[in-house]
Amino acid sequence: MEENTKLDIEDKAEAPLDLDQRTKILIFITFCLCLVSAAIAGLALTFFTQVITIAPGVVAILFLLVALVFTHKNLNSYESNPQLQHKNGVLGAIAVASVAVLVTYMFAISWPRLLNNEDASFVILNTISSEGTDIIVRHPSADSFTVEINNETGTVFTTASTLIDASSDFTGKSFVRGLEPSTLYTYQVVLNTSSILSRPKSLKGSFSTVPVAGDLSSTFTFASSSCSQKSRLLGAVPMTGFSKAKTLQPDFMFHLGDLVYVDTPWGWGGDGYGFGNKQELYESFLRDVYRDEHAQALMSSTPMYFAFDDHEILNNWIEGKSHPYDVAIGSWEQYNTMIENSIYSEYYYNFTVGPASFFVMDVRSYKVEQQIIGAVQMARLKQWLIAENSTVTWKFLLSSLPFSLNKEGVDAWGCCTAERNEILDFLTANNIKNVIIVSGDQ
Protein backbone atom coordinates (compact mmCIF):
# COMPACT_ATOMS: atom_id res chain seq x y z
CA MET A 1 0.00 0.00 0.00
CA GLU A 2 2.79 2.39 0.95
CA GLU A 3 4.69 1.41 -2.21
CA ASN A 4 1.67 2.17 -4.45
CA THR A 5 1.18 5.50 -2.76
CA LYS A 6 4.84 6.33 -3.29
CA LEU A 7 4.60 5.48 -7.00
CA ASP A 8 1.51 7.68 -7.41
CA ILE A 9 3.33 10.59 -5.79
CA GLU A 10 6.37 10.10 -8.04
CA ASP A 11 4.16 9.93 -11.19
CA LYS A 12 2.43 13.15 -10.24
CA ALA A 13 5.74 14.87 -9.53
CA GLU A 14 7.11 13.90 -12.94
CA ALA A 15 4.01 15.06 -14.85
CA PRO A 16 4.54 18.30 -16.85
CA LEU A 17 2.67 21.37 -15.73
CA ASP A 18 0.19 21.13 -18.59
CA LEU A 19 2.55 22.90 -20.99
CA ASP A 20 0.83 21.20 -23.93
CA GLN A 21 -2.36 23.09 -23.14
CA ARG A 22 -0.56 26.40 -23.24
CA THR A 23 1.11 25.46 -26.51
CA LYS A 24 -2.25 24.54 -27.98
CA ILE A 25 -3.68 27.86 -26.86
CA LEU A 26 -0.80 29.73 -28.49
CA ILE A 27 -1.29 27.87 -31.74
CA PHE A 28 -5.02 28.56 -31.58
CA ILE A 29 -4.32 32.26 -31.08
CA THR A 30 -1.96 32.16 -34.07
CA PHE A 31 -4.72 30.62 -36.20
CA CYS A 32 -7.07 33.39 -35.13
CA LEU A 33 -4.53 36.12 -35.91
CA CYS A 34 -3.95 34.63 -39.35
CA LEU A 35 -7.64 34.53 -40.11
CA VAL A 36 -8.25 38.06 -38.81
CA SER A 37 -5.28 39.35 -40.80
CA ALA A 38 -6.50 37.75 -44.02
CA ALA A 39 -10.05 39.00 -43.40
CA ILE A 40 -8.94 42.60 -42.82
CA ALA A 41 -6.62 42.53 -45.83
CA GLY A 42 -9.32 41.01 -48.03
CA LEU A 43 -11.94 43.54 -46.99
CA ALA A 44 -9.55 46.44 -47.48
CA LEU A 45 -8.50 45.32 -50.95
CA THR A 46 -12.06 44.52 -51.93
CA PHE A 47 -13.19 47.97 -50.86
CA PHE A 48 -10.31 49.62 -52.72
CA THR A 49 -10.40 47.63 -55.96
CA GLN A 50 -14.12 46.90 -56.02
CA VAL A 51 -13.36 43.25 -56.72
CA ILE A 52 -12.77 40.12 -54.70
CA THR A 53 -9.04 39.39 -54.71
CA ILE A 54 -7.41 36.06 -53.98
CA ALA A 55 -4.16 37.46 -52.61
CA PRO A 56 -5.28 37.63 -48.95
CA GLY A 57 -6.62 34.10 -49.21
CA VAL A 58 -3.27 32.88 -50.49
CA VAL A 59 -1.50 34.63 -47.64
CA ALA A 60 -3.94 33.16 -45.10
CA ILE A 61 -3.35 29.64 -46.43
CA LEU A 62 0.42 30.10 -46.16
CA PHE A 63 0.03 31.31 -42.60
CA LEU A 64 -2.13 28.35 -41.70
CA LEU A 65 0.33 25.91 -43.23
CA VAL A 66 3.13 27.42 -41.18
CA ALA A 67 0.97 27.24 -38.06
CA LEU A 68 0.16 23.58 -38.82
CA VAL A 69 3.85 22.76 -39.20
CA PHE A 70 4.59 24.24 -35.80
CA THR A 71 1.58 22.48 -34.32
CA HIS A 72 2.66 19.10 -35.70
CA LYS A 73 6.26 19.60 -34.69
CA ASN A 74 5.45 20.67 -31.17
CA LEU A 75 2.55 18.42 -30.21
CA ASN A 76 3.60 15.18 -31.89
CA SER A 77 7.11 15.23 -30.44
CA TYR A 78 6.07 16.84 -27.20
CA GLU A 79 6.89 13.90 -24.93
CA SER A 80 10.58 13.89 -25.86
CA ASN A 81 11.31 17.35 -24.54
CA PRO A 82 8.24 19.27 -23.38
CA GLN A 83 10.16 22.34 -22.22
CA LEU A 84 11.93 22.81 -25.57
CA GLN A 85 8.80 22.11 -27.58
CA HIS A 86 6.85 24.63 -25.57
CA LYS A 87 9.56 27.21 -26.29
CA ASN A 88 9.39 26.41 -30.00
CA GLY A 89 5.64 26.75 -29.88
CA VAL A 90 5.89 30.19 -28.30
CA LEU A 91 8.51 31.36 -30.83
CA GLY A 92 6.51 29.93 -33.72
CA ALA A 93 3.32 31.62 -32.59
CA ILE A 94 5.10 34.95 -32.19
CA ALA A 95 6.76 34.65 -35.62
CA VAL A 96 3.58 33.76 -37.48
CA ALA A 97 1.55 36.37 -35.64
CA SER A 98 4.15 39.04 -36.44
CA VAL A 99 4.05 38.22 -40.14
CA ALA A 100 0.25 38.27 -40.01
CA VAL A 101 0.29 41.76 -38.50
CA LEU A 102 2.87 42.93 -41.05
CA VAL A 103 0.87 41.67 -44.02
CA THR A 104 -2.31 43.16 -42.59
CA TYR A 105 -0.53 46.50 -42.43
CA MET A 106 0.68 46.19 -46.04
CA PHE A 107 -2.68 45.16 -47.48
CA ALA A 108 -5.03 47.17 -45.31
CA ILE A 109 -3.07 50.36 -44.63
CA SER A 110 0.11 50.92 -46.64
CA TRP A 111 -0.88 50.03 -50.22
CA PRO A 112 -4.39 51.50 -50.16
CA ARG A 113 -2.99 54.72 -48.71
CA LEU A 114 -0.32 54.96 -51.40
CA LEU A 115 -2.70 54.17 -54.23
CA ASN A 116 -5.52 56.35 -52.96
CA ASN A 117 -3.99 59.42 -54.58
CA GLU A 118 -6.83 61.14 -56.42
CA ASP A 119 -5.63 64.46 -54.96
CA ALA A 120 -2.20 64.22 -56.64
CA SER A 121 -1.04 67.20 -58.68
CA PHE A 122 2.03 67.37 -60.91
CA VAL A 123 3.64 68.81 -64.04
CA ILE A 124 5.50 66.79 -66.68
CA LEU A 125 7.53 68.28 -69.51
CA ASN A 126 7.03 65.96 -72.45
CA THR A 127 9.23 66.02 -75.59
CA ILE A 128 11.44 68.92 -76.65
CA SER A 129 12.38 70.50 -79.95
CA SER A 130 14.08 73.66 -81.19
CA GLU A 131 10.74 75.47 -81.03
CA GLY A 132 8.88 74.16 -78.02
CA THR A 133 7.77 71.46 -75.62
CA ASP A 134 4.58 69.79 -74.35
CA ILE A 135 3.43 70.44 -70.81
CA ILE A 136 1.26 67.86 -69.01
CA VAL A 137 -0.64 69.18 -65.99
CA ARG A 138 -2.75 67.30 -63.46
CA HIS A 139 -4.65 69.11 -60.75
CA PRO A 140 -7.99 67.84 -59.43
CA SER A 141 -8.98 71.22 -57.98
CA ALA A 142 -8.71 73.14 -61.25
CA ASP A 143 -11.15 73.47 -64.15
CA SER A 144 -8.57 74.69 -66.67
CA PHE A 145 -5.07 76.09 -66.94
CA THR A 146 -2.90 78.35 -69.07
CA VAL A 147 0.89 78.42 -69.31
CA GLU A 148 2.94 81.64 -69.26
CA ILE A 149 6.24 81.24 -71.08
CA ASN A 150 9.06 83.61 -70.11
CA ASN A 151 12.65 84.24 -71.17
CA GLU A 152 15.24 86.55 -69.66
CA THR A 153 13.52 89.62 -71.11
CA GLY A 154 9.99 88.86 -69.89
CA THR A 155 6.82 87.06 -70.89
CA VAL A 156 6.96 85.61 -74.40
CA PHE A 157 3.33 84.51 -74.60
CA THR A 158 0.53 82.75 -72.75
CA THR A 159 -0.99 79.57 -74.13
CA ALA A 160 -4.66 79.09 -74.78
CA SER A 161 -6.72 77.70 -71.91
CA THR A 162 -6.75 73.92 -71.54
CA LEU A 163 -9.77 72.29 -69.90
CA ILE A 164 -9.36 69.48 -67.40
CA ASP A 165 -12.03 67.30 -65.83
CA ALA A 166 -12.69 63.81 -64.50
CA SER A 167 -12.94 62.29 -67.99
CA SER A 168 -9.19 62.82 -68.45
CA ASP A 169 -8.32 62.17 -64.78
CA PHE A 170 -8.03 65.97 -64.37
CA THR A 171 -5.07 65.96 -66.74
CA GLY A 172 -4.51 68.33 -69.63
CA LYS A 173 -1.90 68.70 -72.37
CA SER A 174 -0.60 72.05 -73.59
CA PHE A 175 1.50 72.13 -76.75
CA VAL A 176 3.95 75.02 -76.57
CA ARG A 177 5.44 76.12 -79.91
CA GLY A 178 7.04 79.19 -81.51
CA LEU A 179 10.12 79.40 -79.29
CA GLU A 180 13.76 80.00 -80.20
CA PRO A 181 16.30 77.13 -80.40
CA SER A 182 18.90 76.52 -77.68
CA THR A 183 17.25 79.01 -75.33
CA LEU A 184 16.42 78.83 -71.62
CA TYR A 185 12.78 79.49 -70.72
CA THR A 186 10.82 79.54 -67.51
CA TYR A 187 7.13 78.73 -67.31
CA GLN A 188 4.28 79.21 -64.90
CA VAL A 189 1.14 77.09 -65.00
CA VAL A 190 -1.82 79.25 -63.99
CA LEU A 191 -4.64 77.11 -62.64
CA ASN A 192 -8.22 78.33 -62.87
CA THR A 193 -11.20 77.12 -60.85
CA SER A 194 -14.83 78.11 -60.45
CA SER A 195 -14.88 76.89 -56.85
CA ILE A 196 -14.60 79.54 -54.15
CA LEU A 197 -13.43 76.83 -51.76
CA SER A 198 -10.36 75.89 -53.76
CA ARG A 199 -7.60 78.23 -54.89
CA PRO A 200 -4.89 76.00 -56.35
CA LYS A 201 -1.38 77.36 -56.40
CA SER A 202 0.47 78.05 -59.62
CA LEU A 203 3.12 75.55 -60.74
CA LYS A 204 6.50 76.75 -62.00
CA GLY A 205 9.51 75.33 -63.78
CA SER A 206 12.08 75.82 -66.53
CA PHE A 207 13.47 74.13 -69.62
CA SER A 208 15.81 74.76 -72.54
CA THR A 209 14.97 74.22 -76.17
CA VAL A 210 17.41 72.12 -78.19
CA PRO A 211 19.42 72.83 -81.38
CA VAL A 212 17.71 72.89 -84.76
CA ALA A 213 17.43 69.49 -86.43
CA GLY A 214 20.34 68.96 -88.81
CA ASP A 215 22.71 71.44 -87.15
CA LEU A 216 25.75 69.15 -87.29
CA SER A 217 27.99 71.47 -85.26
CA SER A 218 25.67 71.72 -82.26
CA THR A 219 25.90 69.74 -79.04
CA PHE A 220 23.45 68.55 -76.39
CA THR A 221 23.18 65.95 -73.64
CA PHE A 222 20.53 63.38 -72.85
CA ALA A 223 20.02 60.64 -70.28
CA SER A 224 18.24 57.30 -70.33
CA SER A 225 16.79 55.03 -67.66
CA SER A 226 14.18 52.33 -67.05
CA CYS A 227 12.71 50.09 -64.36
CA SER A 228 11.78 52.54 -61.63
CA GLN A 229 9.73 50.32 -59.37
CA LYS A 230 8.44 52.13 -56.30
CA SER A 231 8.53 49.97 -53.18
CA ARG A 232 5.24 49.78 -51.31
CA LEU A 233 5.98 47.07 -48.75
CA LEU A 234 6.15 49.29 -45.67
CA GLY A 235 5.27 52.68 -47.10
CA ALA A 236 6.42 55.20 -49.67
CA VAL A 237 10.11 54.97 -50.53
CA PRO A 238 11.45 58.17 -52.16
CA MET A 239 12.53 57.67 -55.77
CA THR A 240 15.88 59.38 -55.32
CA GLY A 241 17.22 58.10 -58.63
CA PHE A 242 15.23 60.79 -60.44
CA SER A 243 16.88 63.55 -58.42
CA LYS A 244 20.28 62.02 -59.17
CA ALA A 245 19.44 62.08 -62.88
CA LYS A 246 18.55 65.75 -62.60
CA THR A 247 22.02 66.57 -61.26
CA LEU A 248 23.39 65.49 -64.65
CA GLN A 249 21.44 68.38 -66.20
CA PRO A 250 20.48 66.60 -69.41
CA ASP A 251 18.64 68.55 -72.10
CA PHE A 252 16.11 65.71 -72.17
CA MET A 253 15.73 62.18 -70.87
CA PHE A 254 14.28 58.83 -71.93
CA HIS A 255 12.46 56.47 -69.64
CA LEU A 256 12.44 53.15 -71.49
CA GLY A 257 9.67 51.27 -69.74
CA ASP A 258 8.64 49.78 -66.41
CA LEU A 259 7.89 53.19 -64.97
CA VAL A 260 5.31 51.35 -62.87
CA TYR A 261 4.85 47.72 -61.86
CA VAL A 262 1.10 47.22 -61.94
CA ASP A 263 1.55 43.45 -61.98
CA THR A 264 3.14 43.17 -58.53
CA PRO A 265 2.50 41.58 -56.21
CA TRP A 266 0.70 38.47 -57.47
CA GLY A 267 -0.06 39.68 -60.97
CA TRP A 268 -2.52 42.47 -60.38
CA GLY A 269 -2.37 43.28 -64.08
CA GLY A 270 -4.68 40.39 -64.93
CA ASP A 271 -8.48 40.43 -65.08
CA GLY A 272 -8.88 38.08 -62.19
CA TYR A 273 -7.02 40.43 -59.89
CA GLY A 274 -9.06 43.55 -60.53
CA PHE A 275 -6.83 45.73 -62.69
CA GLY A 276 -7.78 44.31 -66.07
CA ASN A 277 -11.08 46.16 -66.36
CA LYS A 278 -10.33 49.17 -64.17
CA GLN A 279 -8.36 51.99 -65.77
CA GLU A 280 -8.47 54.04 -62.56
CA LEU A 281 -6.33 51.44 -60.81
CA TYR A 282 -3.64 51.65 -63.48
CA GLU A 283 -3.88 55.44 -63.20
CA SER A 284 -3.34 55.28 -59.45
CA PHE A 285 0.00 53.50 -59.94
CA LEU A 286 1.15 56.11 -62.46
CA ARG A 287 0.03 59.01 -60.27
CA ASP A 288 1.95 57.51 -57.37
CA VAL A 289 5.16 57.81 -59.40
CA TYR A 290 4.51 61.20 -60.99
CA ARG A 291 3.63 62.84 -57.65
CA ASP A 292 6.88 61.65 -56.04
CA GLU A 293 8.95 64.70 -55.10
CA HIS A 294 12.06 63.36 -56.84
CA ALA A 295 10.15 62.50 -60.00
CA GLN A 296 8.66 66.00 -59.98
CA ALA A 297 12.06 67.60 -59.45
CA LEU A 298 13.22 65.93 -62.66
CA MET A 299 10.14 65.84 -64.86
CA SER A 300 9.03 69.43 -64.26
CA SER A 301 12.37 70.73 -65.52
CA THR A 302 13.67 68.03 -67.88
CA PRO A 303 11.62 67.11 -70.98
CA MET A 304 10.85 63.38 -70.92
CA TYR A 305 10.42 60.80 -73.67
CA PHE A 306 8.60 57.65 -72.58
CA ALA A 307 8.26 54.09 -73.83
CA PHE A 308 6.38 51.32 -72.09
CA ASP A 309 7.43 47.77 -71.34
CA ASP A 310 5.81 44.69 -69.85
CA HIS A 311 5.26 45.83 -66.26
CA GLU A 312 2.97 48.62 -67.41
CA ILE A 313 0.74 45.73 -68.55
CA LEU A 314 1.73 42.30 -67.22
CA ASN A 315 5.07 40.60 -66.62
CA ASN A 316 6.73 39.21 -69.80
CA TRP A 317 3.84 40.43 -71.95
CA ILE A 318 3.71 38.64 -75.33
CA GLU A 319 0.03 38.99 -76.23
CA GLY A 320 0.27 42.05 -78.47
CA LYS A 321 -2.76 44.33 -78.18
CA SER A 322 -5.05 41.82 -76.50
CA HIS A 323 -6.78 42.70 -73.24
CA PRO A 324 -5.75 44.16 -70.75
CA TYR A 325 -3.25 45.98 -73.01
CA ASP A 326 -6.02 48.39 -74.05
CA VAL A 327 -6.82 49.48 -70.50
CA ALA A 328 -3.21 49.61 -69.32
CA ILE A 329 -1.82 51.60 -72.23
CA GLY A 330 -4.89 53.84 -72.33
CA SER A 331 -3.91 54.91 -68.81
CA TRP A 332 -0.24 55.27 -69.72
CA GLU A 333 -1.07 57.46 -72.75
CA GLN A 334 -3.09 59.83 -70.60
CA TYR A 335 0.05 61.24 -68.99
CA ASN A 336 2.27 61.75 -72.03
CA THR A 337 2.16 62.98 -75.63
CA MET A 338 4.16 60.25 -77.32
CA ILE A 339 1.43 59.24 -79.75
CA GLU A 340 0.56 62.87 -80.54
CA ASN A 341 4.18 63.40 -81.57
CA SER A 342 4.49 60.24 -83.64
CA ILE A 343 4.20 60.76 -87.37
CA TYR A 344 2.96 57.17 -87.51
CA SER A 345 0.19 57.70 -84.91
CA GLU A 346 1.74 54.78 -83.08
CA TYR A 347 3.68 54.30 -79.86
CA TYR A 348 6.93 54.13 -81.80
CA TYR A 349 8.25 57.50 -82.93
CA ASN A 350 11.29 59.39 -84.15
CA PHE A 351 12.70 62.89 -83.82
CA THR A 352 15.91 64.78 -84.56
CA VAL A 353 18.00 67.06 -82.38
CA GLY A 354 20.96 68.84 -83.96
CA PRO A 355 23.35 66.19 -85.38
CA ALA A 356 21.44 63.18 -84.03
CA SER A 357 18.22 61.38 -84.85
CA PHE A 358 16.32 59.01 -82.54
CA PHE A 359 13.95 56.13 -83.24
CA VAL A 360 12.13 54.83 -80.14
CA MET A 361 10.77 51.36 -80.86
CA ASP A 362 7.53 49.91 -79.50
CA VAL A 363 8.53 46.43 -78.34
CA ARG A 364 5.25 45.37 -76.67
CA SER A 365 2.27 46.30 -78.88
CA TYR A 366 3.27 43.76 -81.54
CA LYS A 367 5.20 41.31 -79.41
CA VAL A 368 4.13 37.69 -79.81
CA GLU A 369 6.09 34.47 -80.06
CA GLN A 370 9.22 35.00 -82.22
CA GLN A 371 8.28 38.64 -82.98
CA ILE A 372 9.00 41.94 -81.25
CA ILE A 373 8.27 44.91 -83.54
CA GLY A 374 6.41 43.37 -86.50
CA ALA A 375 6.65 43.93 -90.24
CA VAL A 376 5.18 47.45 -90.46
CA GLN A 377 7.37 48.92 -87.74
CA MET A 378 10.38 47.14 -89.22
CA ALA A 379 9.72 48.71 -92.63
CA ARG A 380 9.39 52.19 -91.12
CA LEU A 381 12.55 51.71 -89.11
CA LYS A 382 14.46 50.84 -92.30
CA GLN A 383 13.00 53.87 -94.11
CA TRP A 384 14.08 56.09 -91.24
CA LEU A 385 17.61 54.66 -91.26
CA ILE A 386 18.02 55.30 -94.99
CA ALA A 387 16.62 58.83 -94.76
CA GLU A 388 18.67 59.88 -91.73
CA ASN A 389 21.94 58.28 -92.85
CA SER A 390 22.70 61.18 -95.16
CA THR A 391 21.35 64.03 -93.01
CA VAL A 392 22.67 63.49 -89.47
CA THR A 393 25.84 62.14 -87.92
CA TRP A 394 24.37 59.92 -85.20
CA LYS A 395 21.48 57.48 -85.27
CA PHE A 396 20.09 56.20 -81.98
CA LEU A 397 17.82 53.15 -81.76
CA LEU A 398 16.04 52.89 -78.42
CA SER A 399 14.46 49.71 -77.11
CA SER A 400 12.76 48.83 -73.82
CA LEU A 401 14.13 45.30 -74.22
CA PRO A 402 17.85 44.46 -74.03
CA PHE A 403 19.19 44.28 -77.59
CA SER A 404 22.23 42.21 -76.64
CA LEU A 405 22.20 38.42 -76.50
CA ASN A 406 23.32 38.36 -72.87
CA LYS A 407 19.77 37.92 -71.64
CA GLU A 408 17.72 34.91 -72.67
CA GLY A 409 13.97 34.30 -72.65
CA VAL A 410 10.96 36.18 -73.96
CA ASP A 411 12.00 39.40 -72.21
CA ALA A 412 14.89 40.26 -74.56
CA TRP A 413 15.76 40.40 -78.27
CA GLY A 414 17.44 37.03 -77.84
CA CYS A 415 14.00 35.46 -78.15
CA CYS A 416 13.60 36.80 -81.68
CA THR A 417 16.99 36.66 -83.35
CA ALA A 418 15.45 36.77 -86.85
CA GLU A 419 14.25 40.37 -86.36
CA ARG A 420 17.43 41.31 -84.56
CA ASN A 421 19.60 39.92 -87.35
CA GLU A 422 17.40 41.63 -89.93
CA ILE A 423 18.18 45.01 -88.37
CA LEU A 424 21.91 44.34 -88.09
CA ASP A 425 22.15 42.95 -91.62
CA PHE A 426 20.29 45.99 -92.97
CA LEU A 427 22.80 48.33 -91.32
CA THR A 428 25.69 46.46 -92.90
CA ALA A 429 24.12 46.11 -96.34
CA ASN A 430 23.32 49.84 -96.57
CA ASN A 431 26.56 51.08 -95.01
CA ILE A 432 24.72 52.86 -92.22
CA LYS A 433 27.28 54.04 -89.71
CA ASN A 434 27.33 55.69 -86.30
CA VAL A 435 24.35 53.73 -85.02
CA ILE A 436 24.04 53.48 -81.25
CA ILE A 437 21.51 51.17 -79.59
CA VAL A 438 20.20 52.19 -76.17
CA SER A 439 18.30 49.55 -74.19
CA GLY A 440 16.31 49.40 -70.99
CA ASP A 441 15.31 46.57 -68.66
CA GLN A 442 18.81 45.87 -67.30
Side-chain angles (χ1 to χ4, degrees):
M1 184 67 178
E2 292 180 0
E3 184 177 352
N4 291 338
T5 302
K6 184 179 180 181
L7 289 174
D8 289 341
I9 294 174
E10 289 177 353
D11 289 342
K12 290 179 181 178
E14 293 176 359
L17 298 177
D18 204 24
L19 295 180
D20 57 337
Q21 285 298 112
R22 284 183 283 172
T23 303
K24 291 176 182 178
I25 291 173
L26 285 169
I27 296 298
F28 176 74
I29 293 174
T30 303
F31 271 115
C32 293
L33 285 172
C34 294
L35 292 174
V36 170
S37 173
I40 293 174
L43 289 173
L45 281 177
T46 299
F47 176 79
F48 176 67
T49 64
Q50 304 296 304
V51 295
I52 303 297
T53 63
I54 70 168
V58 172
V59 174
I61 292 172
L62 291 176
F63 285 165
L64 294 178
L65 288 175
V66 172
L68 285 171
V69 169
F70 276 105
T71 303
H72 177 78
K73 178 180 179 182
N74 283 281
L75 300 184
N76 284 7
S77 60
Y78 186 80
E79 294 180 357
S80 62
N81 192 334
Q83 293 286 347
L84 178 60
Q85 296 308 323
H86 175 67
K87 180 181 178 180
N88 288 342
V90 172
L91 294 177
I94 292 174
V96 176
S98 299
V99 176
V101 171
L102 176 62
V103 172
T104 299
Y105 171 78
M106 289 191 299
F107 276 110
I109 300 175
S110 178
W111 290 343
R113 177 176 59 82
L114 289 171
L115 298 181
N116 186 20
N117 49 35
E118 290 85 356
D119 61 341
S121 59
F122 48 77
V123 177
I124 306 168
L125 296 182
N126 219 186
T127 77
I128 190 68
S129 69
S130 60
E131 60 174 356
T133 187
D134 302 338
I135 299 180
I136 315 296
V137 176
R138 185 187 192 275
H139 204 297
S141 300
D143 301 318
S144 63
F145 69 90
T146 56
V147 182
E148 294 180 359
I149 305 297
N150 307 276
N151 60 17
E152 58 185 8
T153 63
T155 301
V156 177
F157 65 84
T158 300
T159 65
S161 181
T162 301
L163 298 177
I164 52 178
D165 56 34
S167 65
S168 60
D169 190 37
F170 302 101
T171 303
K173 303 176 180 181
S174 182
F175 301 90
V176 178
R177 300 293 184 268
L179 305 182
E180 295 297 319
S182 303
T183 302
L184 174 65
Y185 291 92
T186 61
Y187 69 87
Q188 177 170 307
V189 178
V190 180
L191 298 157
N192 306 302
T193 179
S194 58
S195 173
I196 61 174
L197 300 177
S198 175
R199 297 298 180 190
K201 296 181 180 179
S202 297
L203 305 171
K204 301 178 180 181
S206 63
F207 63 91
S208 293
T209 51
V210 293
V212 174
D215 182 355
L216 302 185
S217 62
S218 62
T219 61
F220 64 91
T221 62
F222 72 92
S224 180
S225 71
S226 68
C227 306
S228 54
Q229 182 175 19
K230 185 169 186 177
S231 174
R232 297 178 177 84
L233 291 181
L234 297 177
V237 176
M239 305 181 77
T240 56
F242 287 128
S243 288
K244 292 178 181 178
K246 183 183 177 181
T247 63
L248 302 174
Q249 297 183 318
D251 293 303
F252 57 92
M253 180 170 173
F254 294 97
H255 194 285
L256 298 178
D258 297 339
L259 180 65
V260 292
Y261 285 65
V262 299
D263 54 352
T264 59
W266 298 304
W268 279 5
D271 279 337
Y273 301 90
F275 270 52
N277 291 305
K278 288 191 171 294
Q279 182 167 328
E280 61 268 24
L281 295 179
Y282 285 100
E283 291 170 352
S284 70
F285 266 72
L286 289 160
R287 289 195 300 262
D288 191 37
V289 171
Y290 290 134
R291 70 172 177 169
D292 179 88
E293 62 176 319
H294 300 280
Q296 270 300 282
L298 174 70
M299 297 181 188
S300 64
S301 61
T302 304
M304 301 294 297
Y305 286 89
F306 293 104
F308 55 83
D309 200 16
D310 56 336
H311 289 293
E312 277 87 356
I313 312 165
L314 195 61
N315 187 39
N316 293 336
W317 183 252
I318 58 170
E319 303 297 331
K321 294 185 177 182
S322 62
H323 189 73
Y325 168 96
D326 52 341
V327 181
I329 302 308
S331 304
W332 177 85
E333 182 185 326
Q334 195 151 253
Y335 305 109
N336 66 67
T337 59
M338 298 300 95
I339 198 165
E340 287 92 339
N341 283 279
S342 172
I343 62 173
Y344 312 113
S345 296
E346 293 275 1
Y347 294 120
Y348 53 88
Y349 54 92
N350 64 69
F351 63 96
T352 302
V353 175
S357 190
F358 300 82
F359 192 106
V360 181
M361 294 180 279
D362 176 0
V363 300
R364 290 296 174 182
S365 296
Y366 304 97
K367 190 174 190 324
V368 293
E369 295 289 345
Q370 303 302 313
Q371 175 181 294
I372 292 182
I373 62 175
V376 174
Q377 186 175 178
M378 179 69 78
R380 288 170 171 171
L381 171 60
K382 292 177 179 179
Q383 293 171 359
W384 171 82
L385 286 166
I386 292 294
E388 298 302 308
N389 194 37
S390 59
T391 58
V392 297
T393 304
W394 304 100
K395 281 75 65 177
F396 289 88
L397 301 185
L398 294 103
S399 166
S400 298
L401 292 177
F403 198 81
S404 70
L405 296 179
N406 296 333
K407 185 176 181 180
E408 299 179 351
V410 299
D411 214 28
W413 281 81
C415 75
C416 308
T417 53
E419 282 189 329
R420 182 180 183 278
N421 292 339
E422 184 176 350
I423 294 173
L424 297 177
D425 291 345
F426 185 83
L427 297 177
T428 302
N430 291 275
N431 196 30
I432 299 175
K433 300 179 179 180
N434 299 328
V435 177
I436 300 174
I437 299 175
V438 181
S439 299
D441 208 32
Q442 280 195 352

